[in-house]
Amino acid sequence: KEQSKEKTTMASLLLALQELKGALEEEVGTRQRLQCAHFEVTAQLEQKEAQLESRANRIEELQRELQALRGEQESWRGQMQLARQQQEAAEEELRQGRRQHDL
């Protein structure tokens, strides 16, 4: 009777250990999947950060180009204004010359 009770207890303990082993294996599998997912997400984030940094550098480059173009535009405007003033002065001179010639 004592031996039968011992066998039952051993069988119960063995079953409990097998269940525990299964639960631990499942836990290990879950941790491994989470770790893989973590590495994957980390790699994606690093890639996105690199893309954002590249875009930020391109934006800075374009802003510098835009600033240079605005400077050129202002220079051209100044030159056009000077040319208009010179043209108006020449036209005025021409009118003055005609008036004197007509007199």
Side-chain angles (χ1 to χ4, degrees):
K1 187 174 182 179
E2 188 68 32
Q3 215 175 14
S4 174
K5 190 175 180 183
E6 203 173 282
K7 282 184 181 179
T8 305
T9 304
M10 290 293 262
S12 294
L13 284 173
L14 186 58
L15 185 62
L17 283 173
Q18 287 174 339
E19 287 176 6
L20 183 58
K21 181 183 173 196
L24 286 172
E25 287 172 347
E26 190 177 316
E27 179 70 21
V28 167
T30 300
R31 284 180 184 235
Q32 287 174 342
R33 284 191 301 278
L34 286 173
Q35 194 172 28
C36 287
H38 171 74
F39 288 140
E40 190 176 310
V41 168
T42 300
Q44 289 174 356
L45 283 174
E46 288 171 354
Q47 183 181 7
K48 292 290 182 192
E49 286 174 358
Q51 288 174 346
L52 287 173
E53 187 174 340
S54 175
R55 287 178 183 166
N57 291 339
R58 181 67 178 136
I59 288 170
E60 288 175 10
E61 182 183 328
L62 289 171
Q63 286 174 333
R64 285 190 297 273
E65 288 179 25
L66 179 60
Q67 196 63 36
L69 288 172
R70 285 182 176 155
E72 284 182 38
Q73 182 183 31
E74 286 303 311
S75 174
W76 280 105
R77 281 184 180 158
Q79 291 177 16
M80 285 175 56
Q81 187 175 4
L82 180 61
R84 268 192 231 109
Q85 289 170 349
Q86 289 172 343
Q87 181 182 358
E88 289 170 3
E91 287 172 355
E92 185 60 31
E93 234 178 87
L94 199 59
R95 281 193 291 272
Q96 293 294 332
R98 284 185 188 154
R99 283 186 199 142
Q100 287 180 358
H101 184 270
D102 289 346
L103 293 177

